[in-house]
Amino acid sequence: MPGGDDPIGDLVALLSRLPGIGERTATRLAHHVLASDPDYARALGSSLGSIHERVVRCATCANFCAGPRCAICRDERRDGKLLCVVARVPDLTAIEKSGSFRGRYHVLHGLLAPLDGVGPEQLPLDALVARVRESEIREVVVATPLSVEGEATALYLAQVLRANDVRVSRIASGIPHGGELEYADQVTVGRAFEGRREL
Amino acid sequence: MPGGDDPIGDLVALLSRLPGIGERTATRLAHHVLASDPDYARALGSSLGSIHERVVRCATCANFCAGPRCAICRDERRDGKLLCVVARVPDLTAIEKSGSFRGRYHVLHGLLAPLDGVGPEQLPLDALVARVRESEIREVVVATPLSVEGEATALYLAQVLRANDVRVSRIASGIPHGGELEYADQVTVGRAFEGRREL
């Protein structure tokens, strides 16, 4: 609110709306910015204020990008027969960092959540089904989170995609790398047994 | 950097320069802003980008304010005989919240730090001495931090101010409210004994 009577208070109120930032941290951040180079404050403000205008969704996979199509969709070396469905862009980034997938992606930007009023119509599932139908995709790996909503979305996707002569798979659930069985929850231990593989 | 090829990466880099915000948290914040209302991003960006222009230092005490003089300096009910010297505006805010001081303030926006090249010339000490000389101030309470630099600054202030027929005092150092002697450091315990008062 430029021109307000309490510019620091206004900034603290806006910063406090960020996740994990309480009033105390917001106050510390505001005073840090005030004590820093004004050019830094302007660069950060401009970057934040224009981020929605500068970031668009890839026309093919809905990944965030600066142009009409993202770098992964433009990359001819990616395997066009493999498609990975994720809920959010940070999940895609985590998969890319792991180097364990060389196909392409489809970002839902959400999960089915009937209790919050998010049904199949609210997610871009038609675009996903059309993409699977019109392309050479042979396997869809559903990498939605292992939460209730992520699992429900995975089951729903399996139903709507199976009719299209495509294999639908789900990422494994089990004990994380380096994890102790002693500290794992019961559901995770159960899944680790269900998903056991021959050695 | 508007127009850049990696707007999210640019924003993450700028956010990572804030204190206590690593790359992971910066990435989470950037994606949170992208998932929120664009109006919020614009309001936050505009508030941050213009904070240096909208916040000025009070002409009398150097407190942050939107006008030429801060609300505390304008408040006629404050005791003009008492002046409290603080290093930073958040310290002033903490004192105001405690309700334990009803005089006026002087903000140094720094502390003496010879090793970092901050000598008496780099701090607005002339303005402080002139203010004490020209006003009805009878006591200057030095509320700089109880750190090495805060103590050095307090001793220096006592020297330069004492010539002006004014009492110079220092806030007490000791065990914090609710604190256990067992967990206090030796210097704090020593100060608590030095500063003991009759009951």
Side-chain angles (χ1 to χ4, degrees), chain B residues 87 111-112 142-155 157 170:
Chain B
L111 290 170
L112 291 182
V142 184
T144 53
L146 280 297
S147 62
V148 173
E149 295 177 351
E151 294 283 33
T153 308
L155 286 175
L157 284 177
R170 180 86 173 108

Side-chain angles (χ1 to χ4, degrees), chain B residues 72-100:
Chain B
I72 294 172
C73 285
R74 289 198 314 266
D75 187 348
E76 291 296 330
R77 291 164 308 173
R78 309 288 300 212
D79 186 349
K81 295 192 183 65
L82 278 173
L83 186 75
C84 178
V85 179
V86 293
R88 298 172 62 242
V89 174
D91 301 336
L92 181 160
T93 310
I95 297 167
E96 284 296 289
K97 273 191 184 159
S98 77
S100 45

Side-chain angles (χ1 to χ4, degrees), chain B residues 77-137:
Chain B
R77 291 164 308 173
R78 309 288 300 212
D79 186 349
K81 295 192 183 65
L82 278 173
L83 186 75
C84 178
V85 179
V86 293
R88 298 172 62 242
V89 174
D91 301 336
L92 181 160
T93 310
I95 297 167
E96 284 296 289
K97 273 191 184 159
S98 77
S100 45
F101 182 73
R102 291 299 298 164
R104 294 215 168 83
Y105 292 92
H106 202 89
V107 186
L108 299 178
H109 292 284
L111 290 170
L112 291 182
L115 294 179
D116 298 332
V118 184
E121 314 73 39
Q122 274 74 45
L123 293 181
L125 299 181
D126 288 348
L128 172 58
V129 172
R131 190 176 168 195
V132 169
R133 195 169 287 155
E134 291 155 16
S135 68
E136 49 168 352
I137 295 164

Side-chain angles (χ1 to χ4, degrees), chain B residues 16-199:
Chain B
S16 302
R17 288 168 57 184
L18 292 170
I21 308 273
E23 197 191 325
R24 230 187 153 88
T25 306
T27 305
R28 194 161 54 87
L29 293 178
H31 281 284
H32 173 86
V33 171
L34 264 170
S36 333
D37 183 359
D39 283 341
Y40 167 63
R42 277 189 284 270
L44 178 58
S46 149
S47 181
L48 268 168
S50 66
I51 194 72
H52 279 270
E53 283 72 39
R54 290 180 298 124
V55 171
V56 295
R57 291 184 182 184
C58 172
T60 306
C61 75
N63 184 14
F64 288 138
C65 58
R69 286 181 82 227
C70 78
I72 294 172
C73 285
R74 289 198 314 266
D75 187 348
E76 291 296 330
R77 291 164 308 173
R78 309 288 300 212
D79 186 349
K81 295 192 183 65
L82 278 173
L83 186 75
C84 178
V85 179
V86 293
R88 298 172 62 242
V89 174
D91 301 336
L92 181 160
T93 310
I95 297 167
E96 284 296 289
K97 273 191 184 159
S98 77
S100 45
F101 182 73
R102 291 299 298 164
R104 294 215 168 83
Y105 292 92
H106 202 89
V107 186
L108 299 178
H109 292 284
L111 290 170
L112 291 182
L115 294 179
D116 298 332
V118 184
E121 314 73 39
Q122 274 74 45
L123 293 181
L125 299 181
D126 288 348
L128 172 58
V129 172
R131 190 176 168 195
V132 169
R133 195 169 287 155
E134 291 155 16
S135 68
E136 49 168 352
I137 295 164
R138 286 287 154 265
E139 179 176 351
V140 176
V141 185
V142 184
T144 53
L146 280 297
S147 62
V148 173
E149 295 177 351
E151 294 283 33
T153 308
L155 286 175
Y156 184 86
L157 284 177
Q159 279 173 20
V160 296
L161 290 173
R162 234 164 233 154
N164 297 282
D165 188 27
V166 71
R167 205 182 142 206
V168 183
S169 60
R170 180 86 173 108
I171 53 167
S173 179
I175 314 286
H177 172 66
E180 302 271 7
L181 268 86
E182 184 181 353
Y183 303 118
D185 64 284
Q186 297 171 0
V187 177
T188 299
V189 174
R191 282 176 173 171
F193 273 84
E194 264 169 50
R196 67 191 180 278
R197 301 193 305 182
E198 210 154 329
L199 286 175

Side-chain angles (χ1 to χ4, degrees), chain A residues 74-137:
Chain A
R74 289 199 313 266
D75 186 348
E76 291 297 331
R77 292 164 305 172
R78 308 286 302 210
D79 185 349
K81 294 191 183 68
L82 278 174
L83 186 76
C84 177
V85 179
V86 293
R88 298 171 62 240
V89 173
D91 301 337
L92 181 159
T93 309
I95 296 167
E96 283 296 291
K97 273 193 183 158
S98 78
S100 46
F101 182 73
R102 291 298 301 165
R104 295 213 169 85
Y105 292 91
H106 202 89
V107 186
L108 299 178
H109 291 283
L111 291 169
L112 292 182
L115 295 178
D116 297 333
V118 184
E121 314 75 38
Q122 274 73 47
L123 293 180
L125 300 181
D126 289 349
L128 172 59
V129 172
R131 191 176 167 197
V132 169
R133 194 170 289 157
E134 290 155 17
S135 67
E136 48 167 353
I137 293 163

